[in-house]
């Protein structure tokens, strides 16, 4: 099923993200060998507490990204509010203030497309619950580059629009429950 | 990550992008070659789609032979997103923590590097006026984009942005009403000409141009995030060499000097707001 050894995991989520991510990030152990980049839709003017919250719950490292943060294994990187998060080709993460995509900054599409550019087939994308279509184009870009796309089963999602839009563009994606996603990640990382 | 993620052969699009950036440099001396690739790629794809070119190579061909392509491409390659008193906490820190130091100097030079449409510039001029420092200060506002400089010089903004600017100004500890500084009409606001009395606008590139002397404060927010690491190091080195002894450098909320080759030449002055002070010299 996996032809290329993944070098990173990218995750996108919106409405219902907190609960969904709680079923995933805290289940990963300290020796998880992959970096995980996460975009969650958050209001631009708020200080985000996501990283702090998951740091307290998880054994992997959890940080909110600053520009040119080096990419390390066993670390979850959250996009800060009001910035896009991109994977760069020098082993670092970048931020930009470019215009919102589908009203979202950070945008899941932007993260996923940059991951497809840099990692090609060697990336796993996970698209979770959400009430808009951000992430679908990005998931398509990852699938096209040969990467693996996992979409939360819409029937188990708090908000279905995001996983459904993902499935519409990536019909061959693997559909899993939150527990299934957690199990899958533990296997590959 | 130990091994850099490089494929054994370059993708065609990557080659096209490198050739286009090389063309812009050789033909117009605009140097985007060390910009962060992820974001450059996105914006060139956008430009290609919206300007109606089949390939990035086609865009390169046109850029070489048709000068009117340059401003159009610059519109994509330079990101113009700003607001007055953006991140009010930053301006509050300048006001409450940096200004008391600046007040001890008889004359001041302030550099707003990458001033874009002027929002950050006018924020600082108003802040300095409120603090009684404007008369002893010269503000240098620089950008590589001529159109942006013209917008900055005009100081005219859409009326619908003013509510946000006003709110930010208030949160930053503003001592006057923002409406004291502009007049409104026809859906736009025009900022008071006298705010430009102490400002020098100039075309300057952090990529190719040299030191800008003896600054007391340099504010360069969300400009370097578009650079790759090597270029960021160049820009921070340029700032270091442009700062007076104990001068201040303010950068964007999610930027950091932690990863810079010149980190040791600065100390965190207001850590939370990314305001640094030059040490040594």
């Amino acid at each position: 099923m996996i032809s290329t050894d993944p070098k990173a995991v990218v995750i996108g989520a919106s409405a219902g993200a907190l609960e969904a991510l709680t079923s995933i990030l805290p289940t990963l152990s300290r020796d998880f060998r992959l970096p995980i980049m996460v975009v969650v839709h958050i209001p631009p003017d708020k200080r985000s507490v996501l990283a702090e919250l998951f740091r307290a719950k998880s054994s992997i490292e959890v940080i909110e990204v600053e520009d040119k943060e080096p990419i390390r294994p066993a670390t979850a990187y959250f996009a800060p509010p009001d910035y896009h998060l991109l994977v760069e080709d020098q082993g670092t993460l970048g931020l930009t203030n470019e215009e919102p995509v589908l009203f979202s900054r950070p945008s899941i599409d932007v993260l996923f497309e940059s991951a497809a550019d840099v990692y090609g087939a060697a990336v796993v994308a996970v698209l979770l619950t959400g009430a808009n279509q951000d992430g679908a184009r990005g998931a398509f870009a990852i699938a096209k580059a040969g990467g693996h796309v996992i979409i939360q089963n819409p029937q188990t999602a708090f908000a279905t629009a995001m996983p459904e839009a993902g499935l519409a563009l990536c019909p061959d994606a693997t559909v899993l429950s939150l527990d299934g996603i957690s199990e899958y990640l533990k296997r590959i990382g | 990550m130990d091994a850099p993620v490089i494929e054994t052969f370059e993708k065609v699009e990557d080659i096209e992008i490198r050739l286009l950036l090389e063309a812009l440099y050789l033909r117009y001396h605009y140097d985007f070659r060390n910009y962060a690739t992820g974001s450059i790629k996105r914006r060139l794809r956008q430009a290609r789609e919206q300007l109606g070119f089949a390939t990035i190579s086609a865009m390169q061909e046109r850029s070489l032979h048709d000068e009117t392509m340059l401003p159009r491409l610059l519109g994509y390659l330079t990101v113009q997103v700003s607001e007055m008193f953006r991140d009010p906490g930053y301006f509050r820190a300048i006001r409450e923590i940096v200004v008391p130091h600046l007040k001890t100097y008889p004359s001041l030079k302030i550099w707003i590097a990458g001033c874009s449409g002027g929002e950050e510039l006018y924020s600082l001029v108003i802040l300095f006026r409120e603090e009684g420092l404007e008369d002893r200060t010269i503000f240098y506002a620089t950008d590589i984009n001529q159109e942006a400089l013209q917008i900055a010089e005009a100081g005219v903004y859409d009326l619908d942005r003013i509510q946000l600017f006003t709110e930010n100004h208030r949160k930053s500890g503003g001592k006057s009403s923002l409406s004291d500084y502009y007049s409104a009409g026809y859906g736009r606001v025009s900022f008071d000409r006298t705010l430009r009395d102490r400002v020098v606008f100039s075309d300057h590139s952090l990529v190719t141009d040299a030191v800008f002397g003896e600054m007391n404060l340099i504010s360069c927010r969300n400009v370097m995030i578009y650079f790759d690491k090597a270029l960021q190091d160049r820009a921070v080195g340029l700032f270091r060499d442009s700062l007076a002894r104990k001068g201040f450098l303010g950068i964007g909320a999610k930027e950091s000097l932690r990863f810079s080759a010149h980190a040791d030449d600065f100390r965190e002055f207001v850590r939370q707001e990314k305001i640094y002070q030059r040490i040594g010299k």
Side-chain angles (χ1 to χ4, degrees):
Chain A
M1 196 166 72
I2 308 163
S3 47
T4 313
D5 239 5
K7 295 196 173 97
V9 178
V10 289
I11 300 182
S14 187
L18 199 62
E19 210 191 340
L21 288 171
T22 302
S23 309
I24 298 173
L25 297 180
T27 67
L28 304 175
S29 74
R30 198 125 206 106
D31 47 10
F32 189 77
R33 60 175 189 92
L34 302 176
I36 305 174
M37 286 57 111
V38 190
V39 163
V40 173
H41 291 164
I42 28 180
D45 52 338
K46 297 273 185 295
R47 205 175 67 87
S48 170
V49 293
L50 284 172
E52 285 169 43
L53 202 128
F54 282 103
R55 189 178 308 132
K57 291 182 180 185
S58 309
S59 351
I60 57 171
E61 259 211 77
V62 181
I63 54 180
E64 189 180 88
V65 174
E66 287 187 327
D67 186 53
K68 300 293 179 279
E69 198 88 53
I71 299 172
R72 293 179 303 262
T75 308
Y77 297 92
F78 277 87
D82 216 20
Y83 290 83
H84 291 305
L85 168 64
L86 295 90
V87 180
E88 292 178 343
D89 56 7
Q90 296 172 325
T92 57
L93 295 170
L95 300 174
T96 83
N97 272 150
E98 285 167 68
E99 57 282 3
V101 174
L102 298 169
F103 309 103
S104 305
R105 189 171 57 204
S107 146
I108 302 166
D109 281 341
V110 171
L111 171 65
F112 283 13
E113 284 169 8
S114 73
D117 283 334
V118 171
Y119 293 116
V123 63
V124 173
V126 179
L127 192 58
L128 299 171
T129 166
N132 82 353
Q133 317 212 325
D134 187 22
R137 267 187 69 147
F140 179 75
I142 285 185
K144 203 174 140 199
H148 192 79
V149 176
I150 296 171
I151 297 180
Q152 182 181 2
N153 185 341
Q155 287 172 353
T156 71
F158 174 84
T160 57
M162 189 173 281
E164 277 168 358
L167 276 171
L169 280 188
C170 311
D172 297 332
T174 307
V175 177
L176 293 172
S177 67
L178 291 172
D179 288 344
I181 294 170
S182 159
E183 288 309 313
Y184 178 89
L185 291 181
K186 283 189 229 167
R187 264 206 314 282
I188 61 162
Chain B
M1 196 143 296
D2 298 333
V5 189
I6 296 169
E7 304 200 34
T8 44
F9 60 93
E10 264 189 290
K11 293 186 202 126
V12 171
E13 188 191 41
D14 292 347
I15 297 172
E16 288 182 289
I17 288 173
R18 276 177 53 186
L19 292 174
L20 170 62
L21 298 182
E22 199 65 43
L24 291 179
Y25 178 63
L26 294 173
R27 173 79 167 84
Y28 302 103
H29 213 66
Y30 274 91
D31 193 352
F32 293 98
R33 294 173 302 173
N34 281 94
Y35 272 48
T37 47
S39 143
I40 277 281
K41 219 176 243 186
R42 257 181 64 69
R43 285 177 282 143
L44 286 178
R45 282 173 187 163
Q46 256 172 25
R48 187 192 63 70
E49 262 174 51
Q50 291 170 13
L51 298 176
F53 287 95
T55 62
I56 288 173
S57 304
M59 213 153 64
Q60 178 221 314
E61 197 268 338
R62 179 76 72 81
S63 301
L64 285 173
H65 298 288
D66 174 1
E67 285 182 12
T68 67
M69 270 299 283
L70 179 68
R72 281 192 280 168
L73 273 182
L74 286 184
Y76 287 95
L77 289 170
T78 60
V79 175
Q80 314 291 339
V81 189
S82 193
E83 58 194 57
M84 284 182 75
F85 297 95
R86 179 180 179 163
D87 306 318
Y90 173 80
F91 290 93
R92 185 179 278 275
I94 298 263
R95 187 190 298 277
E96 293 174 356
I97 307 175
V98 176
V99 159
H101 288 262
L102 298 180
K103 280 188 170 162
T104 64
Y105 294 87
S107 70
L108 294 166
K109 287 180 175 180
I110 310 297
W111 179 13
I112 296 90
C115 70
S116 187
E119 292 89 342
E120 188 180 343
L121 165 69
Y122 289 113
S123 308
L124 284 170
V125 177
I126 289 169
L127 190 158
F128 273 54
R129 185 176 288 189
E130 287 174 335
E131 298 299 329
L133 284 176
E134 187 192 11
D135 293 342
R136 67 175 97 160
T137 304
I138 301 175
F139 300 87
Y140 297 89
T142 65
D143 204 279
I144 54 165
N145 186 335
Q146 285 293 342
E147 273 179 36
L149 277 175
Q150 281 164 15
I151 293 168
E153 222 166 335
V156 176
Y157 304 103
D158 287 341
L159 184 60
D160 58 15
R161 302 178 69 197
I162 277 295
Q163 195 185 343
L164 173 66
F165 293 1
T166 304
E167 178 72 359
N168 284 349
H169 174 242
R170 193 186 55 73
K171 286 187 195 158
S172 79
K175 291 178 173 167
S176 53
S177 165
L178 193 62
S179 60
D180 297 346
Y181 304 100
Y182 64 79
S183 50
Y186 305 102
R188 323 200 77 186
V189 297
S190 183
F191 275 83
D192 188 350
R193 298 210 132 275
T194 65
L195 292 173
R196 266 99 85 192
D197 285 351
R198 311 285 302 165
V199 182
V200 179
F201 291 92
S202 137
D203 184 344
H204 180 278
S205 163
L206 296 174
V207 186
T208 49
D209 291 339
V211 168
F212 225 72
E214 292 297 289
M215 298 293 153
N216 301 95
L217 166 65
I218 298 173
S219 193
C220 182
R221 311 193 67 215
N222 297 324
V223 174
M224 291 188 287
I225 53 177
Y226 296 100
F227 298 171
D228 73 8
K229 207 176 156 308
L231 185 51
Q232 283 189 357
D233 284 340
R234 181 192 198 272
V236 173
L238 192 66
F239 292 149
R240 176 199 57 200
D241 297 341
S242 301
L243 279 171
R245 202 175 116 78
K246 294 189 173 178
F248 299 96
L249 171 63
I251 59 178
K254 301 299 170 190
E255 296 179 278
S256 176
L257 294 189
R258 270 190 299 151
F259 311 121
S260 168
H262 308 299
D264 292 345
D265 295 329
F266 295 88
R267 74 179 178 104
E268 290 178 331
F269 192 71
V270 185
R271 185 180 183 171
Q272 183 66 24
E273 300 300 339
K274 302 299 169 64
I275 298 170
Y276 296 83
Q277 187 175 40
R278 169 90 167 94
I279 52 177
K281 203 171 188 175

